[in-house]
């Protein structure tokens, strides 16, 4: 896994992906964004051998200054499959105020539910300009959690906080979120 952060400028993705390609590695999954003028990226990379991984690590360290990035790399192992968990998507909107992410994260963590992905945005409401906050999450629900009860509890929790929210079955590739996709630092099989 590669994590990188630096001042946003044209060519960062080009340069970073070139280093990865030159080391005969492959980007399997990625998240990239510009936040506060800073470019942030997290990449899951696969390699044909342990030697290619070591070469990539060395090249990334060598190219940090050229790319204008602070780069951290970490070897990972394939996530254990959890075929009995079900993925759900959360979408929520509220008038912006501190603590929304924490409140929603705490709700799920107290129920033993893992947040797989999370993204937020802040924007001005049409006509009024009121600062609004939106959040999207994908959660993995364990088999012992009753979905109907979870949905009722979650929506009541959100109503109490004046958060407009939905909880719906994830329609994407559930295999990806349950460890059936093996791309990581490990050698390709």
């Amino acid at each position: 896994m590669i994590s990188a952060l630096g001042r946003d400028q044209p060519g960062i993705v080009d340069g970073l992906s070139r280093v990865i390609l030159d080391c005969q590695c492959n980007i399997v999954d990625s998240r990239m964004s510009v936040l506060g003028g800073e470019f942030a990226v997290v990449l899951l990379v696969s390699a044909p051998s342990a030697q290619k991984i070591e070469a990539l690590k060395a090249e990334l360290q060598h190219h940090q200054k050229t790319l204008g990035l602070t780069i951290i790399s970490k070897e990972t192992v394939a996530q254990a499959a959890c075929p009995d968990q079900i993925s759900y998507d959360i979408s929520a909107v509220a008038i912006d105020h501190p603590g929304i992410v924490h409140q929603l994260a705490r709700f799920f963590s107290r129920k033993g539910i893992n947040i797989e992905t999370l993204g937020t945005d802040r924007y001005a409401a049409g006509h009024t300009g009121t600062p609004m906050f939106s959040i999207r999450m994908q959660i993995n629900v364990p088999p012992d959690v009753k979905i109907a009860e979870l949905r009722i509890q979650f929506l009541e929790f959100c109503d109490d906080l004046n958060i407009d929210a939905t909880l719906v079955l994830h329609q994407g590739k559930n295999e990806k979120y349950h460890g059936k996709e093996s791309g990581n630092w490990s050698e390709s099989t």
Side-chain angles (χ1 to χ4, degrees), residues 52-108:
K52 297 296 182 188
I53 293 169
E54 292 306 315
L56 176 59
K57 287 180 183 179
E59 285 300 310
L60 288 171
Q61 291 307 307
H62 176 74
H63 287 286
Q64 276 193 108
K65 279 195 173 177
T66 317
L67 296 170
L69 297 171
T70 300
I71 300 174
I72 299 170
S73 60
K74 180 179 191 239
E75 292 188 41
T76 63
V77 295
Q79 186 177 355
C82 300
D84 53 348
Q85 293 191 0
I86 302 172
S87 295
Y88 278 82
D89 292 327
I90 306 293
S91 180
V93 176
I95 294 174
D96 189 27
H97 64 275
I100 296 172
V101 172
H102 170 69
Q103 291 165 326
L104 294 175
R106 183 175 53 190
F107 175 87
F108 292 114

Side-chain angles (χ1 to χ4, degrees), residues 13-185:
V13 176
D14 175 34
L16 188 58
S17 62
R18 171 54 56 191
V19 171
I20 294 166
L21 180 62
D22 287 349
C23 291
Q24 299 176 344
C25 295
N26 186 42
I27 299 171
V28 177
D29 202 356
S30 65
R31 303 291 181 275
M32 302 179 199
S33 188
V34 176
L35 301 169
E38 294 291 312
F39 175 77
V41 59
V42 177
L43 303 166
L44 186 62
V45 176
S46 66
S49 69
Q51 292 81 12
K52 297 296 182 188
I53 293 169
E54 292 306 315
L56 176 59
K57 287 180 183 179
E59 285 300 310
L60 288 171
Q61 291 307 307
H62 176 74
H63 287 286
Q64 276 193 108
K65 279 195 173 177
T66 317
L67 296 170
L69 297 171
T70 300
I71 300 174
I72 299 170
S73 60
K74 180 179 191 239
E75 292 188 41
T76 63
V77 295
Q79 186 177 355
C82 300
D84 53 348
Q85 293 191 0
I86 302 172
S87 295
Y88 278 82
D89 292 327
I90 306 293
S91 180
V93 176
I95 294 174
D96 189 27
H97 64 275
I100 296 172
V101 172
H102 170 69
Q103 291 165 326
L104 294 175
R106 183 175 53 190
F107 175 87
F108 292 114
S109 71
R110 287 185 172 171
K111 295 187 177 309
I113 296 172
N114 190 46
I115 298 172
E116 195 70 30
T117 63
L118 186 146
T120 65
D121 288 304
R122 188 170 191 258
Y123 62 95
H127 301 295
T128 65
T130 302
M132 302 298 293
F133 186 81
S134 70
I135 186 167
R136 293 154 319 287
M137 287 189 251
Q138 183 182 338
I139 60 172
N140 290 337
V141 180
D144 61 330
V145 174
K146 291 183 167 86
I147 300 300
E149 289 178 20
L150 174 65
R151 183 175 282 113
I152 290 167
Q153 292 169 358
F154 176 67
L155 294 177
E156 286 177 354
F157 175 80
C158 288
D159 281 347
D160 290 346
L161 297 172
N162 202 25
I163 298 172
D164 185 20
T166 61
L167 184 151
V168 297
L169 183 64
H170 179 71
Q171 297 298 314
K173 294 181 181 177
N174 275 330
E175 299 83 33
K176 177 179 177 183
Y177 299 101
H178 296 300
K180 293 181 184 171
E181 196 171 272
S182 63
N184 60 29
W185 278 115

